[in-house]
Amino acid sequence: QFKIVESGGGSVQTGGSLRLSCAESRFSLEHYGVAWFRRIPGKEREGVACIGARDNTTYIESVKGRFTISRDSAKKTVNLLMNGLTSEDAGVYYCAVDALVRPGLCMTESEYKWWGQGTQVTVSS
């Protein structure tokens, strides 16, 4: 049973940056598909960014050029660097992991078996 742990959430001012980190307590995420989803108040949970087992990445349009998903090989984690944060980015961010994410579906919730508890991102003006 995987235990996914997110960290790095917090409160920043508009335009600020945060780095979220996703890790599994015992294993490296190196060969797994990993995605970050978020639930913004009043909206359904949506995929934000994902990285495939071969390190191919996908982003939703609203975060392109501001967010970067990457693997940290030394720490065996997957990070989401978020720059230029706005109030529209505020919400709970979830990390999702699976070994068998199908091509083209890395932003689809049902592709992921293991989920973290979420980390809060607050953006204030």
mmCIF file of all heavy atoms in Angstrom, residues 99-121:
data_model
loop_
_atom_site.group_PDB
_atom_site.id
_atom_site.type_symbol
_atom_site.label_atom_id
_atom_site.label_comp_id
_atom_site.label_asym_id
_atom_site.label_seq_id
_atom_site.Cartn_x
_atom_site.Cartn_y
_atom_site.Cartn_z
ATOM 1 N N ALA A 99 1.268 3.420 -11.540
ATOM 2 C CA ALA A 99 2.305 2.818 -12.378
ATOM 3 C C ALA A 99 1.855 2.637 -13.815
ATOM 4 O O ALA A 99 2.684 2.429 -14.700
ATOM 5 C CB ALA A 99 2.709 1.467 -11.795
ATOM 6 N N LEU A 100 0.542 2.723 -14.062
ATOM 7 C CA LEU A 100 0.023 2.369 -15.385
ATOM 8 C C LEU A 100 -0.877 3.453 -15.945
ATOM 9 O O LEU A 100 -2.016 3.190 -16.341
ATOM 10 C CB LEU A 100 -0.744 1.040 -15.290
ATOM 11 C CG LEU A 100 0.088 -0.166 -14.839
ATOM 12 C CD1 LEU A 100 -0.817 -1.366 -14.607
ATOM 13 C CD2 LEU A 100 1.155 -0.499 -15.869
ATOM 14 N N VAL A 101 -0.377 4.663 -16.001
ATOM 15 C CA VAL A 101 -1.153 5.757 -16.577
ATOM 16 C C VAL A 101 -1.113 5.650 -18.093
ATOM 17 O O VAL A 101 -0.031 5.624 -18.698
ATOM 18 C CB VAL A 101 -0.591 7.116 -16.121
ATOM 19 C CG1 VAL A 101 -1.394 8.249 -16.737
ATOM 20 C CG2 VAL A 101 -0.606 7.207 -14.599
ATOM 21 N N ARG A 102 -2.279 5.587 -18.699
ATOM 22 C CA ARG A 102 -2.335 5.402 -20.144
ATOM 23 C C ARG A 102 -1.946 6.674 -20.889
ATOM 24 O O ARG A 102 -2.230 7.780 -20.418
ATOM 25 C CB ARG A 102 -3.740 4.948 -20.551
ATOM 26 C CG ARG A 102 -4.048 3.524 -20.101
ATOM 27 C CD ARG A 102 -5.491 3.171 -20.374
ATOM 28 N NE ARG A 102 -6.407 3.881 -19.490
ATOM 29 C CZ ARG A 102 -7.718 3.782 -19.582
ATOM 30 N NH1 ARG A 102 -8.276 3.032 -20.518
ATOM 31 N NH2 ARG A 102 -8.493 4.432 -18.733
ATOM 32 N N PRO A 103 -1.309 6.528 -22.027
ATOM 33 C CA PRO A 103 -0.889 7.701 -22.808
ATOM 34 C C PRO A 103 -2.053 8.628 -23.104
ATOM 35 O O PRO A 103 -3.141 8.185 -23.492
ATOM 36 C CB PRO A 103 -0.342 7.084 -24.109
ATOM 37 C CG PRO A 103 0.106 5.719 -23.709
ATOM 38 C CD PRO A 103 -0.894 5.275 -22.669
ATOM 39 N N GLY A 104 -1.827 9.919 -22.901
ATOM 40 C CA GLY A 104 -2.851 10.915 -23.178
ATOM 41 C C GLY A 104 -3.869 11.102 -22.073
ATOM 42 O O GLY A 104 -4.740 11.964 -22.179
ATOM 43 N N LEU A 105 -3.772 10.323 -21.009
ATOM 44 C CA LEU A 105 -4.760 10.390 -19.926
ATOM 45 C C LEU A 105 -4.148 10.777 -18.596
ATOM 46 O O LEU A 105 -4.737 10.523 -17.539
ATOM 47 C CB LEU A 105 -5.464 9.040 -19.792
ATOM 48 C CG LEU A 105 -6.279 8.579 -21.000
ATOM 49 C CD1 LEU A 105 -6.888 7.212 -20.736
ATOM 50 C CD2 LEU A 105 -7.367 9.590 -21.341
ATOM 51 N N CYS A 106 -3.007 11.403 -18.619
ATOM 52 C CA CYS A 106 -2.317 11.667 -17.352
ATOM 53 C C CYS A 106 -2.996 12.738 -16.512
ATOM 54 O O CYS A 106 -2.652 12.914 -15.353
ATOM 55 C CB CYS A 106 -0.857 12.019 -17.580
ATOM 56 S SG CYS A 106 -0.551 13.675 -18.167
ATOM 57 N N MET A 107 -3.975 13.446 -17.061
ATOM 58 C CA MET A 107 -4.716 14.435 -16.274
ATOM 59 C C MET A 107 -6.107 13.903 -15.894
ATOM 60 O O MET A 107 -6.973 14.682 -15.493
ATOM 61 C CB MET A 107 -4.864 15.721 -17.068
ATOM 62 C CG MET A 107 -3.515 16.333 -17.431
ATOM 63 S SD MET A 107 -2.830 17.277 -16.077
ATOM 64 C CE MET A 107 -3.175 18.919 -16.712
ATOM 65 N N THR A 108 -6.288 12.609 -16.010
ATOM 66 C CA THR A 108 -7.578 11.980 -15.706
ATOM 67 C C THR A 108 -7.512 11.318 -14.337
ATOM 68 O O THR A 108 -6.680 10.460 -14.097
ATOM 69 C CB THR A 108 -7.922 10.934 -16.777
ATOM 70 O OG1 THR A 108 -7.959 11.573 -18.054
ATOM 71 C CG2 THR A 108 -9.267 10.288 -16.490
ATOM 72 N N GLU A 109 -8.391 11.706 -13.451
ATOM 73 C CA GLU A 109 -8.359 11.220 -12.071
ATOM 74 C C GLU A 109 -8.425 9.708 -11.976
ATOM 75 O O GLU A 109 -7.721 9.099 -11.154
ATOM 76 C CB GLU A 109 -9.517 11.824 -11.267
ATOM 77 C CG GLU A 109 -9.381 13.297 -11.003
ATOM 78 C CD GLU A 109 -10.414 13.783 -10.003
ATOM 79 O OE1 GLU A 109 -10.837 12.976 -9.140
ATOM 80 O OE2 GLU A 109 -10.791 14.959 -10.062
ATOM 81 N N SER A 110 -9.234 9.093 -12.771
ATOM 82 C CA SER A 110 -9.441 7.648 -12.671
ATOM 83 C C SER A 110 -8.214 6.828 -13.054
ATOM 84 O O SER A 110 -8.189 5.620 -12.829
ATOM 85 C CB SER A 110 -10.640 7.225 -13.529
ATOM 86 O OG SER A 110 -10.404 7.564 -14.887
ATOM 87 N N GLU A 111 -7.214 7.473 -13.612
ATOM 88 C CA GLU A 111 -5.974 6.771 -13.968
ATOM 89 C C GLU A 111 -5.087 6.523 -12.757
ATOM 90 O O GLU A 111 -4.114 5.782 -12.853
ATOM 91 C CB GLU A 111 -5.196 7.576 -15.009
ATOM 92 C CG GLU A 111 -5.861 7.636 -16.371
ATOM 93 C CD GLU A 111 -5.867 6.292 -17.065
ATOM 94 O OE1 GLU A 111 -4.782 5.690 -17.243
ATOM 95 O OE2 GLU A 111 -6.972 5.822 -17.439
ATOM 96 N N TYR A 112 -5.391 7.145 -11.645
ATOM 97 C CA TYR A 112 -4.499 7.111 -10.493
ATOM 98 C C TYR A 112 -5.089 6.328 -9.333
ATOM 99 O O TYR A 112 -6.216 6.553 -8.910
ATOM 100 C CB TYR A 112 -4.154 8.531 -10.061
ATOM 101 C CG TYR A 112 -3.377 9.262 -11.118
ATOM 102 C CD1 TYR A 112 -4.038 10.035 -12.069
ATOM 103 C CD2 TYR A 112 -1.988 9.140 -11.199
ATOM 104 C CE1 TYR A 112 -3.327 10.676 -13.074
ATOM 105 C CE2 TYR A 112 -1.277 9.782 -12.196
ATOM 106 C CZ TYR A 112 -1.951 10.545 -13.125
ATOM 107 O OH TYR A 112 -1.244 11.175 -14.124
ATOM 108 N N LYS A 113 -4.284 5.431 -8.814
ATOM 109 C CA LYS A 113 -4.707 4.574 -7.715
ATOM 110 C C LYS A 113 -4.386 5.173 -6.352
ATOM 111 O O LYS A 113 -5.135 5.021 -5.395
ATOM 112 C CB LYS A 113 -4.019 3.216 -7.849
ATOM 113 C CG LYS A 113 -4.432 2.164 -6.845
ATOM 114 C CD LYS A 113 -3.663 0.869 -7.076
ATOM 115 C CE LYS A 113 -3.862 0.336 -8.477
ATOM 116 N NZ LYS A 113 -3.148 -0.922 -8.734
ATOM 117 N N TRP A 114 -3.261 5.848 -6.242
ATOM 118 C CA TRP A 114 -2.813 6.349 -4.942
ATOM 119 C C TRP A 114 -2.850 7.864 -4.885
ATOM 120 O O TRP A 114 -2.352 8.542 -5.801
ATOM 121 C CB TRP A 114 -1.396 5.848 -4.666
ATOM 122 C CG TRP A 114 -1.311 4.365 -4.638
ATOM 123 C CD1 TRP A 114 -1.849 3.539 -3.688
ATOM 124 C CD2 TRP A 114 -0.667 3.510 -5.591
ATOM 125 N NE1 TRP A 114 -1.578 2.227 -4.010
ATOM 126 C CE2 TRP A 114 -0.858 2.179 -5.159
ATOM 127 C CE3 TRP A 114 0.059 3.761 -6.765
ATOM 128 C CZ2 TRP A 114 -0.355 1.089 -5.860
ATOM 129 C CZ3 TRP A 114 0.561 2.678 -7.466
ATOM 130 C CH2 TRP A 114 0.353 1.358 -7.021
ATOM 131 N N TRP A 115 -3.411 8.377 -3.811
ATOM 132 C CA TRP A 115 -3.608 9.810 -3.642
ATOM 133 C C TRP A 115 -3.108 10.260 -2.277
ATOM 134 O O TRP A 115 -3.214 9.530 -1.289
ATOM 135 C CB TRP A 115 -5.091 10.173 -3.751
ATOM 136 C CG TRP A 115 -5.645 10.025 -5.128
ATOM 137 C CD1 TRP A 115 -5.974 8.860 -5.751
ATOM 138 C CD2 TRP A 115 -5.934 11.071 -6.042
ATOM 139 N NE1 TRP A 115 -6.453 9.122 -7.025
ATOM 140 C CE2 TRP A 115 -6.446 10.475 -7.213
ATOM 141 C CE3 TRP A 115 -5.821 12.461 -6.002
ATOM 142 C CZ2 TRP A 115 -6.835 11.215 -8.327
ATOM 143 C CZ3 TRP A 115 -6.215 13.207 -7.096
ATOM 144 C CH2 TRP A 115 -6.717 12.588 -8.256
ATOM 145 N N GLY A 116 -2.575 11.493 -2.243
ATOM 146 C CA GLY A 116 -2.244 12.093 -0.975
ATOM 147 C C GLY A 116 -3.454 12.759 -0.357
ATOM 148 O O GLY A 116 -4.531 12.810 -0.961
ATOM 149 N N GLN A 117 -3.257 13.291 0.836
ATOM 150 C CA GLN A 117 -4.346 13.935 1.571
ATOM 151 C C GLN A 117 -4.576 15.372 1.140
ATOM 152 O O GLN A 117 -5.609 15.959 1.482
ATOM 153 C CB GLN A 117 -4.047 13.903 3.064
ATOM 154 C CG GLN A 117 -4.040 12.502 3.654
ATOM 155 C CD GLN A 117 -5.383 11.823 3.497
ATOM 156 O OE1 GLN A 117 -6.410 12.340 3.900
ATOM 157 N NE2 GLN A 117 -5.378 10.632 2.891
ATOM 158 N N GLY A 118 -3.646 15.934 0.426
ATOM 159 C CA GLY A 118 -3.794 17.291 -0.057
ATOM 160 C C GLY A 118 -3.029 18.294 0.795
ATOM 161 O O GLY A 118 -2.802 18.082 1.983
ATOM 162 N N THR A 119 -2.633 19.370 0.152
ATOM 163 C CA THR A 119 -1.951 20.456 0.852
ATOM 164 C C THR A 119 -2.567 21.776 0.410
ATOM 165 O O THR A 119 -2.852 21.970 -0.769
ATOM 166 C CB THR A 119 -0.426 20.419 0.584
ATOM 167 O OG1 THR A 119 0.222 21.413 1.368
ATOM 168 C CG2 THR A 119 -0.097 20.641 -0.890
ATOM 169 N N GLN A 120 -2.784 22.659 1.362
ATOM 170 C CA GLN A 120 -3.502 23.907 1.102
ATOM 171 C C GLN A 120 -2.569 24.969 0.524
ATOM 172 O O GLN A 120 -1.462 25.185 1.040
ATOM 173 C CB GLN A 120 -4.119 24.434 2.395
ATOM 174 C CG GLN A 120 -4.873 25.738 2.250
ATOM 175 C CD GLN A 120 -6.191 25.573 1.521
ATOM 176 O OE1 GLN A 120 -6.963 24.668 1.805
ATOM 177 N NE2 GLN A 120 -6.456 26.469 0.563
ATOM 178 N N VAL A 121 -3.030 25.623 -0.519
ATOM 179 C CA VAL A 121 -2.331 26.773 -1.092
ATOM 180 C C VAL A 121 -3.249 27.981 -0.963
ATOM 181 O O VAL A 121 -4.370 27.967 -1.464
ATOM 182 C CB VAL A 121 -1.965 26.530 -2.570
ATOM 183 C CG1 VAL A 121 -1.428 27.818 -3.202
ATOM 184 C CG2 VAL A 121 -0.941 25.412 -2.690
#
